[in-house]
Each structure stands twice: as structure tokens, then as C-alpha cells.
Amino acid sequence: MSVLLETSAGDVVIDLLVDYAPKLCENFLKLCKIKYYNFSPVYNVQKNFSFQTGDPIGPDSKESDGGSSIWGVINGPARRTFTADLHPKLKHAERGTVSMATVQSPRDADERISASQFIITLGDNLDFLDGKSAIFGKVVEGFDALEKINDSFCDEKGRPLVDVRIKHTVVLDDPYDDPPGLLEPPESPVPTKAQLATVRIGEDDSLDEENDVEAVEKQRREREARAQALTLEMVGDLPFAEVKPPENVLFVCKLNPVTTDEDLELIFSRFGKILSCEVIRDKRTGDSLQYSFIEYEDQSSCEQAYFKMQGVLIDDHRIHVDFSQSVSKLSDTWRTATNSKRRQGGGGFGGVSGLEKKRHYKAAD
């Protein structure tokens, strides 16, 4: 009597010890038959010791009930667990031993109960599990898959960072009659929303950062830019994090300090109508900071200026032009409009109802 587990780490074939643990084997076989274990995650991986699976959602999810026996699936939560028989001759002596996870029964301290979760050992002579987990099978094929799980990178709870899941279960031989009410699905069910919500890094996601250094660096910069934009949105400097610079504004730098707004507007106006042209100056001294922003009426004029004016000599300085990456003007417009709406509401300080400006000193009597 055997079952094939198709996992994301590889196929595993389990022979069942029906003569020693008939009820445990029946529960496992029927759960496999109804595809109960499909998309169940591997968790609690302890290197060279064991790993655990069998909870369809996983213990990390608040929606998990810990799993159910086949009788609980058919007859309801009242029969979610069953008494597990621990055969005295069966020991966790070799790697690949398969046993049901058990807990002490609330009704009898000497009795242990199981549901659906099971354990597969990753080492030999694990007598710590004897008397705690109920053995019902052993792995006969797929030790390479066990080795992959053993070598997986895990968090502090033993959950692999790259998901390892049971994809399918195939019953190769079943000596038991189906219990009344058992319904075998015609095909493997798709993962539920609760299961998909527990996915971390999918098995198809590549973690080999050495394959493309440029791509990894690009992703890092994009993540950093998104984080910075979100910070600016939170402090009110941006209307929203995804704001993009206008496509009709040109950035001009490396200007001669003597170049004025009027000079630039005259030179760049041959490409189209200019809405604004401003050389940025020091607020205190009024000296040119040698760069400016030119806003065209349409995007095509801006593009023409970009292609034609790169490296052109103006006032003995060879300028550099680029499309603007600044969103300051958009932010100013948004901020002005927002404050205007608040003021219309009246009350408070700065138009915000309930907010009052605090006095630093008491008014003199």
C-alpha cells in the first residue's frame, strides 16, 4: 500500500504499514484520495531532524484550524481528531520515517490524538519522537527531495523562505473501503484564497542574484525609489507616491551665470510656445544656480528641443538638456489647491478645523 506525494521539491513515495497502524493508514490514504493535502505547505523544518506538513493552509494563517481527519471532513468538526495508536515496535530509527503528529487527549492523559498533520524524519535514530508521533509509513523513494527540504533556507519558525508545497497526491494502492459520505473529486482542486495568501516566494521565483547583476541593481533602486516616494507622500511633499514628472518640461543645466530667463526663452521659443521659463537662483543672493526649467505648451515641442539643443553653446557655455524629473511644480499646485479647499471650510489654523495655532507667549494685559 503506497502513496505518491508530488511536491515542489520532488516526488516522494511512501509505503504504508497497514498491519501495524491500520487506522492511521486509512486516515492518511483517504485524505490523499480526496486531495485534502493539495497545496499544503511544508513547515517546522528542523535540519537533520524532521519536517512537518499536512495542514492545508499552514499554521501561520489565522484561518487555519490545524487540519482535520477524514472523519472530520465527512462528518463535521466534532470528529476532527481521532485516537492515534502508537505501536511499541515502531521506532523513528531511520531517515524517511513517516508519522502522524499527535497531542495529548484532553479526556485522557495517557491517550494521544491526531488529525491530518504528519512528520517525515530527516535523520536517523530520533528516539525523541518515539511515543510522541504515531508511525504509519516510511519513504521508499524520493530521498533527494528530502535532502532539498533539509537544505532549504528557513525562518526562525522553520518555514522555508522559498515555498515547499505538496502539489498532488496519488494513491497507488488502497485496501480500505471508502467511508460513507466520501466524495473523490474528479480532478485536483485549485488552491483556495486562504492558501494563496500564505505564499511567500514561489518555487518559480529566481533567487540567483548573480545571474544578472544589472537587473538586481535595478530592482534595488526601484524599491528604494518607491520607499522614498512613499515617505514624501506621508510628509505631504507629494500628492501621491506614484506621481510622475510632466513630459512637457525641459531641464537645462551648465548655464553661464549671466544667462537670463529672457535669453533662454528667446532661444528655446523656436521649438514651440513656452508657458514658463525660469533660471533657478539663490534665494538669498539672487545669483544664478546655472540650471533652469522650461515648460512648453505641448510635449512634441519639448522633445524637439531636447534633440536639437543638446551641447549647444550659449554665452560661451556648452549646455546640457534633459527631460525634467522634478515634480515640485505639481506638488505646489496640489498643495495650494488642497489648502484652498481647507480654508473654504473655515475654522482652525491653516483652514484645518479643530487645529489652533498655539501662542508661545501670553498676551500682555
Side-chain angles (χ1 to χ4, degrees):
M1 277 56 74
S2 303
V3 169
L4 168 65
L5 302 182
E6 297 179 14
T7 77
S8 52
D11 294 348
V12 177
V13 177
I14 300 174
D15 271 359
L16 303 180
L17 307 173
V18 294
D19 294 332
Y20 292 91
K23 195 168 185 179
L24 293 166
C25 292
E26 181 183 4
N27 178 58
F28 182 73
L29 276 168
K30 300 307 178 183
L31 288 176
C32 290
K33 191 171 186 178
I34 66 171
K35 310 301 180 186
Y36 184 81
Y37 291 126
N38 278 30
F39 212 68
S40 296
V42 167
Y43 46 88
N44 196 20
V45 177
Q46 302 177 59
K47 190 173 179 64
N48 299 324
F49 188 80
S50 69
F51 70 85
Q52 195 164 334
T53 184
D55 182 341
I57 302 178
D60 295 337
S61 173
K62 294 180 180 179
E63 298 185 38
S64 171
D65 61 358
S68 173
S69 70
I70 186 62
W71 301 284
V73 172
I74 296 172
N75 301 308
R79 297 195 60 187
R80 190 176 70 85
T81 61
F82 66 98
T83 302
D85 296 325
L86 283 74
H87 199 286
K89 288 187 177 180
L90 299 178
K91 305 292 182 183
H92 295 82
E94 57 185 357
R95 185 172 64 133
T97 301
V98 186
S99 56
M100 277 285 174
T102 69
V103 295
Q104 190 179 68
S105 171
R107 299 181 299 271
D108 185 350
D110 297 327
E111 184 180 271
R112 300 193 72 83
I113 56 176
S114 293
S116 65
Q117 298 186 42
F118 61 95
I119 294 169
I120 300 181
T121 61
L122 298 171
D124 298 324
N125 301 316
L126 304 180
D127 54 359
F128 174 81
L129 294 174
D130 294 340
K132 298 182 180 68
S133 299
I135 297 173
F136 67 91
K138 59 181 179 179
V139 174
V140 292
E141 293 182 33
F143 286 94
D144 54 338
L146 300 189
E147 196 60 36
K148 287 182 181 179
I149 296 173
N150 191 44
D151 292 337
S152 58
F153 291 99
C154 301
D155 62 14
E156 67 280 0
K157 295 181 180 179
R159 172 82 185 272
L161 300 181
V162 178
D163 270 357
V164 180
R165 293 182 181 263
I166 297 174
K167 291 182 173 181
H168 303 286
T169 54
V170 181
V171 177
L172 303 178
D173 189 11
D174 180 5
Y176 300 100
D177 294 331
D178 291 342
L182 184 143
L183 297 175
E184 183 178 0
E187 57 186 16
S188 291
V190 297
T192 64
K193 289 183 179 180
Q195 289 177 316
L196 292 173
T198 63
V199 173
R200 289 184 171 180
I201 302 174
E203 57 174 305
D204 297 329
D205 296 340
S206 175
L207 292 181
D208 190 358
E209 296 188 355
E210 296 182 359
N211 286 344
D212 193 342
V213 177
E214 292 184 2
V216 172
E217 177 62 17
K218 182 181 179 181
Q219 291 177 358
R220 185 193 67 78
R221 290 181 178 178
E222 288 176 350
R223 287 195 298 267
E224 185 177 346
R226 284 195 297 268
Q228 291 174 348
L230 186 59
T231 302
L232 292 174
E233 178 186 338
M234 293 170 66
V235 299
D237 281 353
L238 288 181
F240 50 93
E242 295 80 11
V243 66
K244 294 181 179 180
E247 297 180 343
N248 62 325
V249 178
L250 201 66
F251 171 73
V252 183
C253 63
K254 298 185 179 179
L255 294 172
N256 191 312
V258 302
T259 302
T260 65
D261 301 349
E262 293 77 12
D263 295 336
L264 280 181
E265 184 170 1
L266 181 62
I267 294 170
F268 279 85
S269 61
R270 66 189 180 95
F271 300 104
K273 184 178 179 180
I274 293 178
L275 300 180
S276 66
C277 178
E278 181 184 8
V279 174
I280 308 303
R281 300 181 179 278
D282 187 284
K283 289 185 178 180
R284 185 174 60 85
T285 64
D287 295 337
S288 171
L289 297 179
Q290 298 177 261
Y291 69 92
S292 69
F293 293 97
I294 302 174
E295 181 181 3
Y296 282 95
E297 187 176 37
D298 54 68
Q299 182 182 343
S300 60
S301 300
C302 185
E303 291 174 351
Q304 288 183 44
Y306 169 76
F307 290 115
K308 296 290 186 179
M309 296 301 292
Q310 186 66 262
V312 170
L313 205 63
I314 298 179
D315 294 334
D316 297 328
H317 275 226
R318 201 167 294 280
I319 65 169
H320 173 75
V321 297
D322 203 347
F323 293 104
S324 173
Q325 296 300 309
S326 173
V327 295
S328 60
K329 192 166 185 179
L330 290 175
S331 298
D332 288 340
T333 303
W334 166 77
R335 196 177 296 107
T336 301
T338 301
N339 289 336
S340 176
K341 290 178 182 178
R342 286 176 175 171
R343 291 190 193 97
Q344 290 174 7
F349 174 67
V352 180
S353 179
L355 183 63
E356 295 183 2
K357 184 176 183 180
K358 294 183 178 179
R359 298 189 180 193
H360 293 285
Y361 305 99
K362 288 185 177 180
D365 294 335

